[in-house]
Amino acid sequence: MTRCTIEDFTYRTITGDGGVKLNVAIGGQGPAVVLLHGFPQTHYMWRHVAHTLADDHTVIVPDLRGYGASDQSLADNPESYSKRTMANDIVAVAREIGFDHFGLVGHDRGALVAVRAGLDHPDAVDYLGILDVLPTMDTCAVLQGVNAKVAWHLYLMAQPAGMPEKMIAAVAPEFFGSFLDAWDPTGTTFTPEERDHYVTSSINSVDSIVADYRATAGIDLDMDLADRERGARLTMPVAVISQDWGSQLGFDASALWQAWAPDLTYQGTTSGHFMAEENPDEIAGFITELAARIPADQP
């Protein structure tokens, strides 16, 4: 397996919720920003953006539990991979490094963890950046008809434990590689070594990745519905950047996020799903502009 690390960043193993050990890269100086990766990737997806932000920030880049070099918690407990548990991991990591509040930016799966952190720990999250994902409770609602095939993997991994893991393990290189290839419009975003890192890391994490997705179709959805019923909102500045999935599937992503985040900015991108690697300057600028929205009187 190709082990990819962010050059010039320091690596630490930090304990998260319930004793899970997380692999964390740290670099730079200044106010903290935490960057959370998506599927089927690891913290390494942030390498370019992290170096840019490190000029003015302490940049904290963990592997989510169950991914990369972080521990794989038991997958038979729904709470093990709930976004609440995974958000608690991130708050614990930041505190261990010395920050009780921080900016938080997530891509794909990491964005769902970031949103839960913003809802559960509003005093810890200074601002929230979301890359190319919809709110949990809205995702299935917009997937209708034949166009829903774009998200076929969501339905596969939502099934009861056992069969999805066996099916994916049987063709794991092809399964994980298919997403890296299909979601990379240029076909040049990853070197062979980088692609191998993502594929091999995912092959080694089949059970935990499936458990992460299964939680989103179950316990995470329940939490979001409960929050919507009680009128919970993301109170910090929030920014979303996304491909234009809405024109294909018939939804307004900005409106869906506005229901959760009154202080929202939304922008589209012509980059593909792996935008932090395809166009890191755009994403670094997106985060820098978001960080500038913190109220001047905030410590």
Side-chain angles (χ1 to χ4, degrees):
M1 170 182 167
T2 302
R3 175 74 182 276
C4 293
T5 58
I6 301 177
E7 187 176 358
D8 297 326
F9 271 49
T10 299
Y11 279 77
R12 291 177 58 183
T13 299
I14 298 177
T15 302
D17 190 277
V20 168
K21 304 296 184 182
L22 301 174
N23 177 54
V24 185
I26 309 161
Q29 289 185 327
V33 58
V34 180
L35 307 177
L36 304 180
H37 67 85
F39 164 88
Q41 297 188 286
T42 69
H43 78 284
Y44 186 69
M45 63 154 281
W46 289 108
R47 60 199 177 280
H48 305 305
V49 174
H51 275 128
T52 300
L53 296 178
D55 290 341
D56 303 299
H57 297 80
T58 299
V59 185
I60 302 169
V61 200
D63 283 330
L64 296 170
R65 69 164 55 202
Y67 289 79
S70 289
D71 280 356
Q72 297 180 30
S73 183
L74 292 176
D76 56 358
N77 179 355
E79 293 186 0
S80 292
Y81 289 93
S82 77
K83 302 308 157 291
R84 173 161 291 156
T85 299
M86 297 171 83
N88 290 343
D89 286 340
I90 303 312
V91 173
V93 163
R95 286 177 177 164
E96 177 64 23
I97 295 169
F99 295 93
D100 57 8
H101 63 93
F102 47 87
L104 184 56
V105 181
H107 173 253
D108 187 77
R109 309 301 300 168
L112 300 181
V113 176
V115 169
R116 177 47 56 189
L119 290 167
D120 286 0
H121 305 277
D123 293 338
V125 179
D126 294 334
Y127 56 86
L128 180 60
I130 298 166
L131 277 61
D132 216 35
V133 79
L134 288 176
T136 296
M137 63 179 289
D138 296 306
T139 298
C140 287
V142 305
L143 294 172
Q144 301 179 28
V146 69
N147 286 330
K149 67 183 180 182
V150 71
W152 65 278
H153 60 297
L154 302 183
Y155 298 97
L156 171 62
M157 291 192 274
Q159 302 308 308
M163 188 64 73
E165 292 87 344
K166 292 178 181 178
M167 293 175 66
I168 292 169
V171 290
E174 295 85 355
F175 178 80
F176 294 113
S178 71
F179 298 104
L180 294 168
D181 298 337
W183 296 344
D184 176 15
T186 68
T188 60
T189 299
F190 313 115
T191 67
E193 292 77 16
E194 290 162 355
R195 187 182 185 280
D196 177 70
H197 166 72
Y198 293 137
V199 170
T200 308
S201 294
S202 298
I203 291 171
N204 293 333
S205 305
V206 170
D207 287 1
S208 54
I209 290 173
V210 175
D212 170 29
Y213 274 85
R214 184 178 292 119
T216 295
I219 191 170
D220 295 340
L221 180 59
D222 293 341
M223 290 178 185
D224 280 14
L225 290 170
D227 280 336
R228 176 57 58 85
E229 185 174 345
R230 69 183 178 87
R233 295 292 184 272
L234 295 163
T235 56
M236 65 291 299
V238 178
V240 177
I241 185 168
S242 182
Q243 300 177 86
D244 187 17
W245 290 108
S247 62
Q248 176 183 347
L249 298 174
F251 64 85
D252 181 344
S254 178
L256 295 178
W257 279 114
Q258 188 77 49
W260 287 101
D263 186 4
L264 175 79
T265 60
Y266 179 89
Q267 69 184 75
T269 180
T270 58
S271 296
H273 183 63
F274 302 112
M275 55 190 70
E277 290 162 289
E278 185 182 342
N279 194 346
D281 289 343
E282 178 183 43
I283 300 307
F286 164 83
I287 296 170
T288 299
E289 291 178 9
L290 173 58
R293 290 166 53 197
I294 299 176
D297 58 351
Q298 184 167 311

